[in-house]
Structure formats: structure tokens, C-alpha cells
Amino acid sequence: DEFNDMLSKQDLSEEQLNICRDIRRRGKNKVAAQNCRKRKIEQIDELQIRLEEAKRRQYRLQADHQKLISVYSAEANNLTMLTDTVLAHHNKNPEHYLVQVK
């Protein structure tokens, strides 16, 4: 390791070597902590983007669902009216008869 090579060339006591190593270790730890915080912020930003996308998708799906319910209801009403018309044409009571298509 370059750092240890540089220290070994100096005439330092064991205490001075330990202080140098401690300073270096603290510096490396500071940089690692900064990188960790930066990654955490990036992860939070990414999750916020994904959350907004999911909310938009959910809104679109809910709107589509409401449209489908409306279309289904309209078609069910059309079918009921058509059934009533067919039964009335044959003088049959819709409460007692059902139209079946083969």
C-alpha cells in the first residue's frame, strides 16, 4: 500500500504512525459516509419517481375502470331494453319470460 510505504520511509515513532493511520482512516471513513449519504439520497429520489409513476398509472387505471363500468352499464341497459322489446313484440311478460340466443 502506497500510504504504508510512504510512512515506512519516514522516521516516525509508533505513536506518530498510529496518529497518521488514524487520520487516514478517519478521512477514508468520512468519504465513505459522504458516498453512503449520496447513494441513500439517490435511492430516495428514485423511489419518489417510481411512486409518482405508480400514482399516475393507478389514476389512469381507475379512470379506465370507471369508463368500463359506464360502458357495461349502458350495454346492460341496452340489452334489457332489447329483451323487453322482443318480449313485448311476442306479447310476453318480461317478468315471466327470458330471451335466449342459440
Side-chain angles (χ1 to χ4, degrees):
D1 171 50
E2 191 175 320
F3 176 75
N4 288 329
D5 290 342
M6 188 173 68
L7 285 182
S8 66
K9 293 177 184 174
Q10 303 296 322
D11 189 24
L12 300 173
S13 69
E14 191 64 32
E15 183 180 345
Q16 290 171 325
L17 286 173
N18 287 336
I19 291 171
C20 288
R21 288 184 184 118
D22 188 51
I23 291 170
R24 182 166 189 257
R25 181 182 49 79
R26 288 176 191 228
K28 289 178 93 175
N29 189 58
K30 180 180 177 182
V31 170
Q34 288 171 338
N35 290 338
C36 181
R37 286 188 291 273
K38 181 181 175 187
R39 280 192 308 273
K40 185 60 70 178
I41 289 171
E42 289 171 353
Q43 288 173 345
I44 290 170
D45 290 343
E46 175 65 25
L47 287 173
Q48 286 175 334
I49 290 169
R50 290 174 54 192
L51 176 62
E52 289 303 316
E53 289 172 354
K55 285 180 179 180
R56 284 192 297 273
R57 183 172 185 265
Q58 180 185 25
Y59 177 79
R60 284 192 310 270
L61 289 172
Q62 286 174 336
D64 290 347
H65 182 71
Q66 288 302 319
K67 287 178 190 175
L68 289 172
I69 288 173
S70 178
V71 168
Y72 176 83
S73 179
E75 292 302 321
N77 286 338
N78 287 341
L79 180 59
T80 300
M81 287 175 25
L82 182 60
T83 300
D84 290 347
T85 301
V86 168
L87 290 174
H89 179 74
H90 293 285
N91 297 320
K92 303 294 180 186
N93 186 344
E95 294 178 12
H96 299 112
Y97 290 92
L98 206 57
V99 174
Q100 288 186 337
V101 179
K102 292 185 181 183

XYZ file of all heavy atoms in Angstrom:
850
model
N 0.861 -1.182 0.000
C 0.000 0.000 0.000
C 0.900 1.236 0.000
O 1.847 1.343 0.778
C -0.920 -0.108 1.217
C -1.731 1.112 1.524
O -2.385 1.627 0.602
O -1.714 1.529 2.692
N 0.605 2.159 -0.845
C 1.429 3.356 -1.034
C 1.554 4.168 0.245
O 2.628 4.698 0.564
C 0.804 4.207 -2.144
C 1.682 5.334 -2.625
C 1.056 6.071 -3.798
O 0.473 5.423 -4.679
O 1.157 7.302 -3.805
N 0.474 4.262 0.986
C 0.479 5.025 2.230
C 1.466 4.423 3.225
O 2.282 5.138 3.819
C -0.937 5.054 2.821
C -1.025 5.743 4.154
C -0.970 7.130 4.233
C -1.169 5.018 5.323
C -1.048 7.777 5.453
C -1.241 5.658 6.549
C -1.184 7.039 6.611
N 1.412 3.104 3.393
C 2.326 2.436 4.337
C 3.779 2.543 3.873
O 4.687 2.670 4.704
C 1.926 0.979 4.528
C 0.659 0.852 5.350
O 0.394 1.674 6.204
N -0.130 -0.171 5.069
N 4.004 2.472 2.556
C 5.367 2.637 2.033
C 5.901 4.018 2.379
O 7.066 4.175 2.770
C 5.402 2.433 0.522
C 5.174 0.983 0.126
O 5.332 0.097 0.993
O 4.837 0.754 -1.062
N 5.057 5.030 2.209
C 5.476 6.398 2.492
C 5.777 6.561 3.986
O 6.775 7.198 4.364
C 4.381 7.374 2.067
C 4.794 8.828 2.146
S 3.582 9.952 1.450
C 2.265 9.793 2.614
N 4.945 5.969 4.827
C 5.176 6.075 6.269
C 6.451 5.350 6.691
O 7.167 5.807 7.581
C 3.982 5.501 7.043
C 2.716 6.346 7.085
C 1.645 5.652 7.924
C 2.989 7.728 7.635
N 6.738 4.217 6.053
C 7.918 3.445 6.446
C 9.216 4.177 6.095
O 10.255 3.951 6.713
C 7.891 2.070 5.796
O 8.016 2.184 4.395
N 9.164 5.092 5.122
C 10.357 5.858 4.732
C 10.626 7.003 5.696
O 11.709 7.564 5.696
C 10.180 6.409 3.315
C 10.148 5.321 2.262
C 9.907 5.878 0.886
C 9.788 4.747 -0.129
N 9.425 5.231 -1.455
N 9.630 7.344 6.495
C 9.786 8.430 7.468
C 10.284 7.851 8.795
O 10.022 6.707 9.133
C 8.433 9.139 7.697
C 7.798 9.693 6.448
C 8.628 10.795 5.809
O 9.224 11.614 6.510
N 8.702 10.789 4.490
N 10.992 8.671 9.509
C 11.490 8.253 10.827
C 10.478 8.715 11.871
O 10.619 9.778 12.461
C 12.875 8.864 11.087
C 13.533 8.295 12.316
O 13.175 7.159 12.699
O 14.386 8.982 12.901
N 9.426 7.871 12.051
C 8.339 8.241 12.960
C 8.236 7.219 14.082
O 8.503 6.030 13.897
C 7.003 8.294 12.208
C 6.898 9.270 11.048
C 5.590 9.077 10.303
C 7.018 10.703 11.531
N 7.807 7.707 15.243
C 7.605 6.788 16.368
C 6.314 6.004 16.126
O 5.511 6.336 15.251
C 7.513 7.579 17.681
O 6.304 8.331 17.694
N 6.113 4.971 16.936
C 4.908 4.148 16.806
C 3.659 4.989 17.046
O 2.646 4.839 16.362
C 4.968 2.981 17.805
C 3.915 1.925 17.581
C 4.067 1.214 16.239
O 5.193 1.045 15.751
O 3.012 0.834 15.671
N 3.750 5.894 18.013
C 2.611 6.772 18.304
C 2.299 7.684 17.113
O 1.137 7.869 16.743
C 2.888 7.611 19.552
C 1.715 8.482 19.951
C 2.005 9.317 21.202
O 2.976 9.031 21.907
O 1.236 10.251 21.438
N 3.339 8.223 16.484
C 3.135 9.078 15.315
C 2.545 8.288 14.142
O 1.677 8.785 13.421
C 4.452 9.725 14.901
C 4.941 10.774 15.874
C 6.356 11.245 15.549
O 7.197 10.450 15.092
N 6.608 12.523 15.791
N 3.014 7.049 13.974
C 2.463 6.193 12.930
C 0.980 5.921 13.179
O 0.157 5.981 12.251
C 3.235 4.865 12.868
C 4.621 4.903 12.251
C 5.307 3.547 12.436
C 4.540 5.259 10.785
N 0.654 5.639 14.437
C -0.753 5.380 14.769
C -1.616 6.617 14.532
O -2.744 6.500 14.051
C -0.884 4.908 16.223
C -0.382 3.493 16.404
O -0.352 2.713 15.448
N 0.026 3.156 17.614
N -1.088 7.792 14.848
C -1.838 9.027 14.604
C -2.047 9.225 13.107
O -3.152 9.567 12.660
C -1.104 10.248 15.233
C -1.178 10.153 16.757
C -1.698 11.552 14.737
C -0.310 11.187 17.486
N -1.015 8.989 12.303
C -1.142 9.114 10.843
C -2.177 8.130 10.302
O -3.022 8.503 9.463
C 0.213 8.875 10.173
S 1.388 10.207 10.423
N -2.121 6.906 10.767
C -3.080 5.894 10.313
C -4.513 6.268 10.732
O -5.463 6.083 9.969
C -2.705 4.522 10.862
C -1.482 3.938 10.198
C -1.182 2.526 10.693
N 0.037 2.039 10.100
C 1.135 1.697 10.781
N 1.146 1.775 12.112
N 2.211 1.281 10.171
N -4.625 6.794 11.958
C -5.939 7.190 12.456
C -6.499 8.345 11.614
O -7.686 8.330 11.263
C -5.834 7.605 13.927
C -7.183 7.850 14.552
O -8.056 6.965 14.438
O -7.368 8.931 15.144
N -5.674 9.310 11.286
C -6.111 10.441 10.451
C -6.549 9.936 9.078
O -7.587 10.340 8.554
C -4.993 11.498 10.324
C -4.774 12.187 11.672
C -5.316 12.508 9.230
C -3.525 13.073 11.718
N -5.748 9.031 8.511
C -6.102 8.481 7.198
C -7.405 7.687 7.263
O -8.286 7.819 6.412
C -4.986 7.579 6.686
C -5.281 7.021 5.305
C -4.033 6.417 4.707
N -4.256 6.076 3.314
C -4.478 4.835 2.872
N -4.521 3.826 3.722
N -4.658 4.612 1.596
N -7.533 6.860 8.317
C -8.744 6.061 8.478
C -9.968 6.960 8.628
O -11.010 6.731 8.004
C -8.599 5.159 9.712
C -9.804 4.262 9.964
C -9.629 3.409 11.224
N -9.203 4.142 12.402
C -10.016 4.881 13.171
N -11.281 4.992 12.884
N -9.540 5.508 14.236
N -9.838 8.025 9.415
C -10.967 8.948 9.592
C -11.321 9.646 8.277
O -12.500 9.845 7.967
C -10.646 9.993 10.653
C -10.634 9.434 12.047
C -10.216 10.489 13.039
N -9.951 9.901 14.328
C -10.422 10.377 15.460
N -11.187 11.446 15.458
N -10.129 9.792 16.598
N -10.308 9.999 7.516
C -10.560 10.640 6.214
C -11.279 9.699 5.257
O -12.233 10.093 4.572
N -10.809 8.449 5.208
C -11.462 7.467 4.333
C -12.899 7.201 4.796
O -13.810 7.076 3.974
C -10.660 6.156 4.321
C -9.339 6.275 3.571
C -8.570 4.985 3.623
C -8.913 4.168 2.401
N -8.115 2.941 2.302
N -13.079 7.148 6.120
C -14.423 6.908 6.652
C -15.346 8.095 6.325
O -16.524 7.897 6.006
C -14.365 6.679 8.161
C -15.693 6.225 8.701
O -16.224 5.219 8.271
N -16.247 6.989 9.633
N -14.810 9.301 6.382
C -15.610 10.485 6.060
C -16.087 10.432 4.612
O -17.256 10.687 4.311
C -14.781 11.747 6.303
C -15.510 13.032 6.013
C -14.627 14.244 6.275
C -15.343 15.523 5.907
N -14.496 16.701 6.109
N -15.174 10.081 3.713
C -15.526 9.977 2.292
C -16.551 8.857 2.084
O -17.534 9.021 1.344
C -14.270 9.742 1.420
C -14.644 9.399 -0.008
C -13.365 10.963 1.471
N -16.347 7.725 2.753
C -17.287 6.610 2.629
C -18.674 7.014 3.146
O -19.697 6.678 2.539
C -16.772 5.391 3.396
N -18.722 7.754 4.246
C -20.004 8.203 4.801
C -20.692 9.175 3.840
O -21.907 9.109 3.642
C -19.788 8.859 6.163
N -19.914 10.075 3.229
C -20.484 11.011 2.250
C -21.071 10.247 1.056
O -22.182 10.551 0.603
C -19.413 11.992 1.754
C -19.011 13.030 2.779
C -17.804 13.846 2.326
O -17.017 13.416 1.479
N -17.655 15.021 2.916
N -20.323 9.265 0.573
C -20.810 8.454 -0.554
C -22.069 7.683 -0.172
O -23.004 7.564 -0.976
C -19.725 7.494 -1.034
C -18.589 8.212 -1.718
O -18.741 9.329 -2.194
N -17.426 7.584 -1.753
N -22.087 7.176 1.051
C -23.256 6.430 1.525
C -24.477 7.349 1.575
O -25.561 6.973 1.131
C -22.963 5.846 2.903
S -24.321 4.873 3.583
N -24.313 8.552 2.118
C -25.431 9.505 2.174
C -25.898 9.889 0.770
O -27.098 9.994 0.511
C -25.035 10.745 2.973
C -24.955 10.509 4.471
C -24.759 11.798 5.238
N -23.458 12.388 5.033
C -22.371 12.107 5.733
N -22.433 11.230 6.714
N -21.227 12.700 5.471
N -24.938 10.070 -0.126
C -25.292 10.421 -1.507
C -26.099 9.298 -2.160
O -27.112 9.552 -2.818
C -24.016 10.691 -2.314
C -24.265 11.089 -3.740
C -22.961 11.315 -4.492
C -23.225 11.587 -5.957
N -22.000 11.646 -6.735
N -25.646 8.049 -1.986
C -26.384 6.906 -2.544
C -27.783 6.811 -1.949
O -28.755 6.529 -2.647
C -25.629 5.594 -2.297
C -24.497 5.336 -3.250
C -23.986 3.910 -3.142
N -23.662 3.489 -1.793
C -22.498 3.674 -1.183
N -21.515 4.289 -1.818
N -22.303 3.252 0.042
N -27.902 7.058 -0.643
C -29.202 6.992 0.017
C -30.139 8.055 -0.558
O -31.307 7.784 -0.827
C -29.027 7.192 1.527
C -30.285 7.020 2.326
C -30.902 5.646 2.198
C -30.072 4.597 2.865
N -30.636 3.254 2.823
N -29.642 9.262 -0.780
C -30.452 10.333 -1.373
C -30.872 9.947 -2.786
O -32.025 10.155 -3.178
C -29.684 11.676 -1.352
C -29.598 12.183 0.092
C -30.352 12.701 -2.238
C -28.680 13.374 0.274
N -29.951 9.370 -3.553
C -30.281 8.927 -4.910
C -31.352 7.835 -4.887
O -32.257 7.823 -5.722
C -29.025 8.436 -5.631
C -28.070 9.553 -5.989
C -26.725 9.051 -6.503
O -26.471 7.822 -6.469
O -25.914 9.899 -6.931
N -31.254 6.919 -3.924
C -32.265 5.866 -3.797
C -33.622 6.466 -3.452
O -34.649 6.054 -4.013
C -31.865 4.870 -2.710
C -30.711 3.972 -3.078
C -30.252 3.113 -1.905
O -30.594 3.367 -0.755
N -29.464 2.083 -2.204
N -33.639 7.432 -2.550
C -34.900 8.082 -2.172
C -35.490 8.809 -3.372
O -36.700 8.718 -3.623
C -34.677 9.043 -0.983
C -34.385 8.236 0.278
C -35.878 9.958 -0.786
C -33.919 9.064 1.454
N -34.640 9.521 -4.125
C -35.124 10.217 -5.329
C -35.724 9.229 -6.324
O -36.787 9.483 -6.893
C -33.989 11.003 -5.989
C -33.553 12.202 -5.162
O -34.315 12.625 -4.258
O -32.446 12.724 -5.424
N -35.050 8.103 -6.529
C -35.538 7.085 -7.467
C -36.878 6.516 -6.988
O -37.805 6.341 -7.780
C -34.507 5.963 -7.622
C -34.967 4.806 -8.472
C -35.208 5.167 -9.922
O -34.614 6.150 -10.416
O -36.011 4.459 -10.575
N -36.987 6.261 -5.691
C -38.245 5.743 -5.146
C -39.366 6.765 -5.286
O -40.513 6.397 -5.566
C -38.069 5.338 -3.679
C -37.260 4.068 -3.443
C -37.023 3.872 -1.940
C -37.954 2.861 -4.028
N -39.051 8.041 -5.112
C -40.075 9.086 -5.279
C -40.552 9.138 -6.724
O -41.755 9.282 -6.979
C -39.543 10.448 -4.838
C -39.435 10.581 -3.329
C -38.788 11.879 -2.886
O -37.999 12.479 -3.611
N -39.125 12.303 -1.682
N -39.635 9.003 -7.663
C -40.011 8.982 -9.083
C -40.905 7.777 -9.362
O -41.940 7.899 -10.022
C -38.746 8.961 -9.971
C -38.024 10.307 -9.894
C -39.088 8.600 -11.412
C -36.625 10.302 -10.510
N -40.513 6.620 -8.852
C -41.309 5.409 -9.074
C -42.688 5.520 -8.421
O -43.683 5.053 -8.975
C -40.557 4.188 -8.550
C -39.337 3.847 -9.406
C -38.486 2.744 -8.847
N -39.258 1.541 -8.583
C -38.800 0.515 -7.884
N -37.584 0.540 -7.390
N -39.555 -0.547 -7.678
N -42.743 6.154 -7.247
C -44.018 6.345 -6.568
C -44.939 7.238 -7.396
O -46.124 6.933 -7.561
C -43.803 6.958 -5.182
C -45.061 7.296 -4.385
C -45.868 6.034 -4.100
C -44.702 8.013 -3.100
N -44.397 8.334 -7.937
C -45.207 9.233 -8.769
C -45.705 8.513 -10.022
O -46.855 8.677 -10.425
C -44.408 10.486 -9.142
C -44.174 11.429 -7.987
C -45.454 11.899 -7.327
O -46.416 12.247 -8.041
O -45.520 11.893 -6.081
N -44.844 7.713 -10.635
C -45.254 6.938 -11.817
C -46.369 5.959 -11.448
O -47.340 5.798 -12.199
C -44.061 6.184 -12.400
C -43.040 7.075 -13.075
C -41.775 6.332 -13.476
O -41.618 5.138 -13.134
O -40.920 6.962 -14.124
N -46.236 5.309 -10.300
C -47.258 4.352 -9.859
C -48.583 5.061 -9.584
O -49.648 4.545 -9.918
C -46.784 3.606 -8.609
N -48.507 6.251 -8.997
C -49.734 7.010 -8.738
C -50.412 7.416 -10.045
O -51.638 7.336 -10.151
C -49.427 8.260 -7.907
C -49.158 7.974 -6.450
C -48.863 9.257 -5.699
C -48.612 9.014 -4.228
N -48.322 10.258 -3.495
N -49.611 7.851 -11.020
C -50.185 8.217 -12.321
C -50.827 7.000 -12.986
O -51.927 7.086 -13.544
C -49.118 8.832 -13.238
C -48.762 10.264 -12.889
C -47.925 10.916 -13.979
N -46.641 10.279 -14.167
C -45.539 10.586 -13.489
N -45.563 11.518 -12.563
N -44.408 9.968 -13.746
N -50.150 5.866 -12.915
C -50.694 4.635 -13.508
C -51.983 4.235 -12.800
O -52.963 3.857 -13.450
C -49.671 3.513 -13.416
C -50.135 2.228 -14.062
C -49.007 1.193 -14.130
N -49.443 0.028 -14.845
C -49.946 -1.067 -14.258
N -50.044 -1.127 -12.938
N -50.315 -2.095 -14.981
N -51.991 4.326 -11.478
C -53.188 3.986 -10.713
C -54.342 4.911 -11.117
O -55.478 4.444 -11.292
C -52.924 4.112 -9.218
C -54.137 3.762 -8.368
C -53.885 4.006 -6.891
O -53.049 4.818 -6.517
N -54.622 3.304 -6.053
N -54.078 6.199 -11.278
C -55.125 7.144 -11.675
C -55.681 6.771 -13.049
O -56.903 6.760 -13.247
C -54.557 8.570 -11.681
C -55.555 9.593 -12.143
C -56.547 10.059 -11.284
C -55.521 10.091 -13.442
C -57.480 10.992 -11.705
C -56.451 11.019 -13.879
C -57.423 11.475 -13.005
O -58.338 12.382 -13.437
N -54.769 6.455 -13.991
C -55.222 6.056 -15.334
C -56.065 4.789 -15.275
O -57.108 4.681 -15.935
C -54.027 5.848 -16.271
C -53.387 7.114 -16.772
C -52.412 6.847 -17.913
N -51.453 5.794 -17.646
C -50.267 5.957 -17.091
N -49.865 7.157 -16.727
N -49.464 4.936 -16.911
N -55.624 3.806 -14.494
C -56.367 2.556 -14.377
C -57.736 2.776 -13.740
O -58.728 2.171 -14.167
C -55.568 1.531 -13.572
C -54.334 0.951 -14.272
C -53.525 0.107 -13.299
C -54.724 0.152 -15.494
N -57.795 3.645 -12.742
C -59.089 3.935 -12.121
C -60.029 4.620 -13.116
O -61.218 4.307 -13.157
C -58.907 4.812 -10.874
C -58.337 4.057 -9.688
C -58.025 4.959 -8.506
O -57.805 6.153 -8.658
N -57.994 4.371 -7.317
N -59.475 5.544 -13.909
C -60.290 6.222 -14.917
C -60.790 5.216 -15.958
O -61.969 5.238 -16.335
C -59.488 7.341 -15.578
N -59.894 4.337 -16.407
C -60.287 3.300 -17.373
C -61.363 2.391 -16.774
O -62.317 2.013 -17.452
C -59.085 2.459 -17.797
C -58.104 3.232 -18.676
O -58.465 4.321 -19.163
O -56.975 2.722 -18.866
N -61.191 2.033 -15.519
C -62.157 1.166 -14.843
C -63.531 1.835 -14.798
O -64.550 1.183 -15.073
C -61.657 0.852 -13.430
C -62.548 -0.059 -12.656
N -62.687 -1.398 -12.954
C -63.363 0.169 -11.601
C -63.539 -1.950 -12.112
N -63.970 -1.011 -11.282
N -63.554 3.107 -14.456
C -64.841 3.826 -14.411
C -65.488 3.887 -15.792
O -66.709 3.729 -15.921
C -64.644 5.250 -13.857
C -64.345 5.288 -12.377
C -65.444 4.636 -11.552
O -66.630 4.796 -11.818
N -65.040 3.858 -10.555
N -64.675 4.093 -16.832
C -65.215 4.103 -18.193
C -65.815 2.739 -18.548
O -66.898 2.670 -19.131
C -64.123 4.456 -19.204
C -63.711 5.906 -19.185
C -62.586 6.144 -20.185
C -61.996 7.517 -20.022
N -60.827 7.732 -20.885
N -65.103 1.677 -18.194
C -65.605 0.328 -18.484
C -66.890 0.032 -17.724
O -67.811 -0.586 -18.271
C -64.538 -0.718 -18.155
C -63.336 -0.765 -19.099
C -62.268 -1.697 -18.551
C -63.766 -1.195 -20.489
N -66.958 0.466 -16.489
C -68.193 0.278 -15.721
C -69.341 1.021 -16.396
O -70.453 0.492 -16.509
C -68.005 0.747 -14.259
C -67.110 -0.232 -13.508
C -69.350 0.909 -13.555
C -66.725 0.221 -12.107
N -69.073 2.229 -16.854
C -70.104 3.028 -17.529
C -70.561 2.344 -18.816
O -71.765 2.256 -19.095
C -69.551 4.417 -17.824
O -70.492 5.192 -18.503
N -69.609 1.851 -19.612
C -69.944 1.160 -20.865
C -70.744 -0.107 -20.564
O -71.746 -0.387 -21.220
C -68.662 0.826 -21.668
C -68.948 -0.135 -22.796
C -68.027 2.105 -22.203
N -70.295 -0.865 -19.555
C -71.002 -2.084 -19.180
C -72.438 -1.772 -18.777
O -73.387 -2.460 -19.202
C -70.268 -2.797 -18.040
C -71.000 -4.017 -17.543
C -70.883 -5.230 -18.196
C -71.836 -3.949 -16.430
C -71.564 -6.354 -17.766
C -72.524 -5.065 -15.989
C -72.384 -6.267 -16.655
O -73.068 -7.371 -16.225
N -72.610 -0.750 -17.968
C -73.949 -0.368 -17.509
C -74.835 0.028 -18.685
O -76.002 -0.386 -18.758
C -73.838 0.784 -16.507
O -75.111 1.190 -16.078
N -74.279 0.804 -19.615
C -75.046 1.226 -20.790
C -75.430 0.017 -21.637
O -76.583 -0.081 -22.110
C -74.238 2.227 -21.618
N -74.491 -0.910 -21.833
C -74.789 -2.109 -22.627
C -75.809 -3.014 -21.931
O -76.668 -3.604 -22.581
C -73.504 -2.881 -22.940
C -72.560 -2.151 -23.887
C -73.192 -1.818 -25.228
O -73.955 -2.649 -25.761
O -72.933 -0.717 -25.735
N -75.724 -3.106 -20.610
C -76.707 -3.900 -19.866
C -78.095 -3.283 -20.019
O -79.087 -4.006 -20.204
C -76.310 -3.990 -18.394
N -78.169 -1.956 -19.960
C -79.458 -1.275 -20.171
C -79.973 -1.505 -21.590
O -81.179 -1.749 -21.791
C -79.333 0.225 -19.899
C -79.222 0.537 -18.427
O -79.632 -0.250 -17.585
N -78.653 1.685 -18.108
N -79.080 -1.439 -22.584
C -79.480 -1.703 -23.970
C -80.023 -3.125 -24.120
O -81.027 -3.349 -24.804
C -78.310 -1.498 -24.929
C -77.960 -0.038 -25.125
O -78.774 0.839 -24.844
N -76.755 0.222 -25.603
N -79.354 -4.082 -23.499
C -79.791 -5.466 -23.584
C -81.162 -5.645 -22.928
O -82.037 -6.336 -23.468
C -78.764 -6.395 -22.920
C -79.094 -7.881 -22.939
C -79.244 -8.390 -24.376
C -78.038 -8.663 -22.180
N -81.344 -5.005 -21.778
C -82.645 -5.086 -21.100
C -83.741 -4.488 -21.974
O -84.826 -5.083 -22.121
C -82.584 -4.355 -19.744
O -81.584 -4.964 -18.936
C -83.918 -4.416 -19.021
N -83.448 -3.344 -22.568
C -84.450 -2.712 -23.440
C -84.748 -3.584 -24.660
O -85.915 -3.748 -25.053
C -83.976 -1.322 -23.882
C -84.034 -0.304 -22.760
S -83.367 1.343 -23.113
C -83.487 1.526 -24.835
N -83.713 -4.169 -25.241
C -83.897 -5.032 -26.404
C -84.711 -6.275 -26.027
O -85.624 -6.677 -26.752
C -82.538 -5.431 -26.986
C -82.541 -6.297 -28.225
C -83.269 -5.601 -29.378
C -81.126 -6.648 -28.635
N -84.384 -6.865 -24.877
C -85.119 -8.029 -24.398
C -86.594 -7.680 -24.177
O -87.496 -8.421 -24.598
C -84.491 -8.553 -23.090
O -83.145 -8.923 -23.340
C -85.258 -9.751 -22.553
N -86.832 -6.550 -23.536
C -88.212 -6.121 -23.294
C -88.962 -5.884 -24.610
O -90.132 -6.236 -24.739
C -88.239 -4.848 -22.439
C -87.803 -5.101 -21.005
O -87.717 -6.280 -20.606
O -87.554 -4.106 -20.283
N -88.250 -5.325 -25.591
C -88.870 -5.079 -26.897
C -89.232 -6.387 -27.580
O -90.342 -6.534 -28.128
C -87.915 -4.267 -27.802
O -87.606 -3.035 -27.157
C -88.530 -3.994 -29.151
N -88.335 -7.354 -27.561
C -88.593 -8.661 -28.188
C -89.771 -9.351 -27.492
O -90.689 -9.871 -28.149
C -87.329 -9.550 -28.167
C -87.669 -10.992 -28.538
C -86.260 -8.984 -29.089
N -89.762 -9.343 -26.170
C -90.847 -10.000 -25.436
C -92.168 -9.272 -25.653
O -93.226 -9.919 -25.799
C -90.509 -10.076 -23.944
C -89.380 -11.052 -23.585
C -89.023 -10.930 -22.112
C -89.748 -12.487 -23.928
N -92.149 -7.963 -25.717
C -93.376 -7.200 -25.957
C -93.915 -7.490 -27.350
O -95.134 -7.582 -27.546
C -93.110 -5.710 -25.778
N -93.019 -7.646 -28.306
C -93.432 -7.966 -29.671
C -94.193 -9.299 -29.719
O -95.096 -9.482 -30.530
C -92.199 -8.001 -30.590
C -92.517 -8.346 -32.007
N -93.120 -7.463 -32.874
C -92.345 -9.501 -32.708
C -93.289 -8.040 -34.039
N -92.829 -9.287 -33.966
N -93.794 -10.227 -28.837
C -94.440 -11.543 -28.786
C -95.510 -11.611 -27.690
O -95.959 -12.707 -27.322
C -93.398 -12.640 -28.573
C -92.475 -12.821 -29.736
N -92.863 -13.450 -30.889
C -91.191 -12.432 -29.933
C -91.848 -13.461 -31.745
N -90.819 -12.846 -31.191
N -95.882 -10.455 -27.176
C -96.899 -10.371 -26.123
C -96.574 -11.236 -24.901
O -97.426 -11.939 -24.359
C -98.294 -10.747 -26.666
C -98.752 -9.783 -27.727
O -98.539 -8.576 -27.590
N -99.355 -10.304 -28.785
N -95.316 -11.167 -24.481
C -94.880 -11.940 -23.311
C -94.452 -10.968 -22.210
O -93.859 -9.920 -22.478
C -93.702 -12.869 -23.647
C -93.974 -13.847 -24.764
C -95.031 -14.843 -24.373
C -95.276 -15.820 -25.517
N -96.374 -16.714 -25.253
N -94.708 -11.340 -20.974
C -94.338 -10.508 -19.828
C -92.853 -10.735 -19.494
O -92.456 -11.867 -19.204
C -95.222 -10.877 -18.627
C -94.996 -9.963 -17.438
O -94.012 -9.247 -17.371
N -95.925 -10.017 -16.505
N -92.027 -9.657 -19.460
C -90.593 -9.809 -19.155
C -90.324 -10.377 -17.768
O -89.256 -10.922 -17.522
C -90.038 -8.396 -19.269
C -91.044 -7.626 -20.033
C -92.365 -8.290 -19.815
N -91.297 -10.273 -16.869
C -91.102 -10.819 -15.526
C -91.233 -12.340 -15.515
O -90.741 -12.995 -14.596
C -92.109 -10.204 -14.553
C -91.883 -8.716 -14.335
C -92.919 -8.094 -13.406
O -93.687 -8.855 -12.754
O -92.956 -6.860 -13.326
N -91.868 -12.888 -16.536
C -92.097 -14.331 -16.582
C -91.277 -15.055 -17.659
O -91.186 -16.280 -17.631
C -93.589 -14.635 -16.819
C -94.456 -14.108 -15.728
N -95.332 -13.072 -15.924
C -94.577 -14.453 -14.414
C -95.966 -12.809 -14.787
N -95.508 -13.649 -13.852
N -90.722 -14.307 -18.602
C -90.006 -14.923 -19.730
C -88.592 -14.357 -19.852
O -88.305 -13.227 -19.447
C -90.752 -14.689 -21.047
C -92.038 -15.469 -21.130
C -93.252 -14.904 -20.706
C -92.049 -16.765 -21.616
C -94.428 -15.616 -20.775
C -93.230 -17.489 -21.669
C -94.406 -16.911 -21.257
O -95.576 -17.622 -21.307
N -87.752 -15.161 -20.478
C -86.359 -14.815 -20.714
C -86.050 -15.052 -22.188
O -86.534 -16.011 -22.771
C -85.470 -15.730 -19.861
C -84.101 -15.259 -19.441
C -84.186 -13.953 -18.660
C -83.438 -16.308 -18.565
N -85.240 -14.191 -22.781
C -84.846 -14.382 -24.177
C -83.507 -15.115 -24.192
O -82.553 -14.682 -23.544
C -84.713 -13.036 -24.916
C -84.167 -13.240 -26.326
C -86.056 -12.322 -24.955
N -83.435 -16.213 -24.921
C -82.189 -16.954 -25.051
C -81.771 -16.960 -26.512
O -82.599 -17.134 -27.390
C -82.352 -18.401 -24.593
C -82.494 -18.559 -23.111
C -82.516 -20.009 -22.683
O -82.844 -20.896 -23.484
N -82.174 -20.262 -21.419
N -80.481 -16.772 -26.744
C -79.945 -16.778 -28.095
C -79.158 -18.071 -28.273
O -78.321 -18.423 -27.461
C -79.036 -15.546 -28.331
C -78.455 -15.577 -29.721
C -79.807 -14.264 -28.072
N -79.456 -18.785 -29.381
C -78.745 -20.058 -29.640
C -77.690 -19.866 -30.692
O -77.727 -19.092 -31.553
C -79.739 -21.125 -30.095
C -80.678 -21.536 -29.002
C -81.538 -22.648 -29.480
C -82.513 -23.058 -28.397
N -83.332 -24.174 -28.788
